[in-house]
Amino acid sequence: MIAPVAEAPAALERALLAFRTELQAEPTVVARAPGRVNLIGEHVDYNDGFVLPAAIDRDIVTVAAPRADASIRVLAVDTGEVDAFTPLERFPRAAGWISYVRGVARLLSEMGVRVPGAALAISGDVPIGAGLSSSAALEVSVASALLALAGRSLPQLQLVELAHRAESEFAGVQCGIMDQLISVCGAVDRAVFLDCRSLEFVHLPVPAQLRLVATDSGVRRDLRNSAYNDRVKECQGAAQLLGVRSLRDIEPGDFAAREGDLPDLVRRRARHVVTEIERTRQAAAALERQDLAQFGRLMRESHESLRRDYEVSIPELDALVEVACEVDGVVGARLSGAGFGGCTISLVNESAVAEFLEHVPRAYRARTGRPATVHVCRAAAGASATDNWT
Ligand code: GLA
């Protein structure tokens, strides 16, 4: 199945239409924030490691206008759900988009931003729960819209931090910083090589002939119910056993010398993290010198390590990686994001995209009985907002 991009009304059109018809008002603010793929550097952001994500040309869009009273009324256009609250209102930690929206409004208020009463309509073309970071895009999009309504802006890293807190404090996922940072700091045709300890990053060009192809396995997982938070704890435990602040602080050579002393599970989890951080450094260097063969090899090794040592892959993701690599012109493929379901990322030469679209869903269905949805993306700019939309 090919994602209906051109045929579907753009997310912005849907949001504007719903705003006018359902909320009977004209928006003054339009904000957008992108989803992401991660080229390499998986499950290392919460270990202070290096990651290499790219924002994609799929957004969560928020259109908004101030209201006369203090309430915030939200319409999730694509699901028809609604919510109403005031920014400082307490609410239970819960699943779903509502926690993200309420969490963002509350954190902004707590940091002294006077969040006005507002009507918001939210729509998007980042598939939900597919590992393309729809939740970070939602947090950043809503935060950008509320800031624009309040006539304020924040330095990029403060916006990242706020969106990240909304995720961990209100939705209960102990995630790292990667998804929120790339949604804010992405750039057109660039990947971001990010040091998750210092939050310093550089933009690295993605060769113009490459497409970032996200293939959705159709298997859905919920990060809070998945083993994600368990992995975070396992890594903290491993760092403690090894006597370091985080697994970032162990060089691969030192680790190899000491891994024999570790219990099996701890050894495998830590081995993934230590080797993945090193692979990501090497991949960034390979991308800089446009050594795509090496980049592809590192992607494959990363997937293998996630499958064997970190145990966050599933047979469907393994199958997608294998069938993607059967296509001539695919540089490399691996699972992208948390795993347990969701998407793979394949780096594909533009000339091979047609064959990819033909081969991968067919071969995947033959192996698993499931449809695959292919999103052919390009690296895109981070979030933006306009406050004089008319
Ligand atoms: C999820 C989290 C990220 C990161 C990835 C795995 O997307 O939100 O912080 O940990 O999983 O690399």
Side-chain angles (χ1 to χ4, degrees):
M1 194 182 359
I2 301 170
V5 175
E7 314 89 80
L12 175 58
E13 292 302 320
R14 287 198 303 274
L16 287 171
L17 184 68
F19 199 91
R20 290 177 181 131
T21 51
E22 312 272 326
L23 302 173
Q24 310 255 306
E26 273 303 308
T28 57
V29 159
V30 169
R32 53 158 283 282
R36 62 103 188 87
V37 289
N38 187 18
L39 301 183
I40 194 164
E42 217 66 86
H43 285 278
V44 298
D45 58 350
Y46 52 83
N47 290 296
D48 286 349
F50 291 91
V51 293
L52 190 57
I56 52 174
D57 46 359
R58 304 286 190 277
D59 288 327
I60 300 289
V61 176
T62 305
V63 301
R67 280 174 55 87
D69 65 12
S71 69
I72 297 185
R73 287 168 193 264
V74 196
L75 169 65
V77 176
D78 302 324
T79 60
E81 290 165 281
V82 292
D83 188 32
F85 61 97
T86 51
L88 285 170
E89 190 176 318
R90 303 216 154 260
F91 60 95
R93 246 188 197 196
W97 64 279
I98 289 171
S99 310
Y100 299 118
V101 177
R102 289 188 173 207
V104 162
R106 169 111 170 253
L107 290 173
L108 280 171
S109 301
E110 283 175 2
M111 68 188 281
V113 174
R114 286 182 47 157
V115 178
L120 311 180
I122 302 169
S123 181
D125 51 16
V126 186
I128 307 296
L132 297 179
S133 226
S134 54
S135 56
L138 174 62
E139 291 144 15
V140 174
S141 180
V142 168
S144 303
L146 292 178
L147 281 163
L149 281 172
R152 292 278 305 271
S153 66
L154 288 180
Q156 282 191 326
L157 288 184
Q158 274 187 40
L159 178 56
V160 169
E161 194 60 40
L162 177 118
H164 181 245
R165 281 185 60 200
E167 181 103 24
S168 55
E169 290 175 25
F170 297 104
V173 184
Q174 302 310 312
C175 65
I177 200 78
M178 169 172 73
D179 301 347
Q180 290 78 15
L181 188 133
I182 189 63
S183 189
V184 173
C185 303
V188 174
D189 291 337
R190 300 279 188 281
V192 167
F193 180 47
L194 166 69
D195 178 339
C196 297
R197 173 168 277 169
S198 66
L199 298 189
E200 283 168 9
F201 61 85
V202 289
H203 287 117
L204 298 181
V206 176
Q209 79 278 15
L210 293 186
R211 295 295 169 268
L212 312 178
V213 179
T215 309
D216 190 345
S217 64
V219 180
R220 288 288 175 271
R221 86 288 179 252
D222 177 338
L223 281 191
R224 276 162 299 105
N225 295 333
S226 74
Y228 185 91
N229 288 351
D230 294 346
R231 293 294 182 282
V232 176
K233 281 204 209 85
E234 285 162 4
C235 288
Q236 288 162 351
Q240 223 170 22
L241 267 183
L242 288 158
V244 288
R245 180 171 142 205
S246 78
L247 291 175
R248 154 81 175 268
D249 296 313
I250 303 199
E251 294 301 321
D254 289 347
F255 181 76
R258 297 178 61 190
E259 68 174 317
D261 300 337
L262 297 173
D264 179 58
L265 184 100
V266 179
R267 176 172 62 240
R268 288 187 295 119
R269 300 296 190 252
R271 186 164 57 202
H272 165 72
V273 173
V274 171
T275 58
E276 182 77 354
I277 290 173
E278 179 57 24
R279 272 189 292 277
T280 306
R281 284 187 165 123
Q282 290 178 13
L287 190 62
E288 266 194 296
R289 56 175 199 275
Q290 304 222 354
D291 181 350
L292 296 180
Q294 170 70 351
F295 197 92
R297 268 194 298 278
L298 292 164
M299 286 179 85
R300 286 300 300 264
E301 283 175 29
S302 166
H303 184 81
E304 190 49 24
S305 172
L306 288 159
R307 185 187 71 73
R308 194 194 51 223
D309 279 346
Y310 216 63
E311 296 181 288
V312 294
S313 190
I314 54 172
E316 287 85 348
L317 292 172
D318 299 339
L320 277 180
V321 167
E322 278 168 31
V323 300
C325 290
E326 287 165 7
V327 176
D328 245 3
V330 168
V331 169
R334 49 183 293 285
L335 74 82
S336 177
F340 311 111
C343 283
T344 56
I345 167 69
S346 305
L347 267 188
V348 184
N349 276 289
E350 192 187 3
S351 57
V353 165
E355 197 198 330
F356 190 100
L357 287 167
E358 207 272 313
H359 175 74
V360 169
R362 186 166 38 78
Y364 179 65
R365 189 188 278 279
R367 286 208 191 181
T368 65
R370 288 176 173 277
T373 307
V374 182
H375 305 272
V376 180
C377 303
R378 300 194 67 149
S384 54
T386 312
D387 64 3
N388 56 358
W389 182 271
T390 41

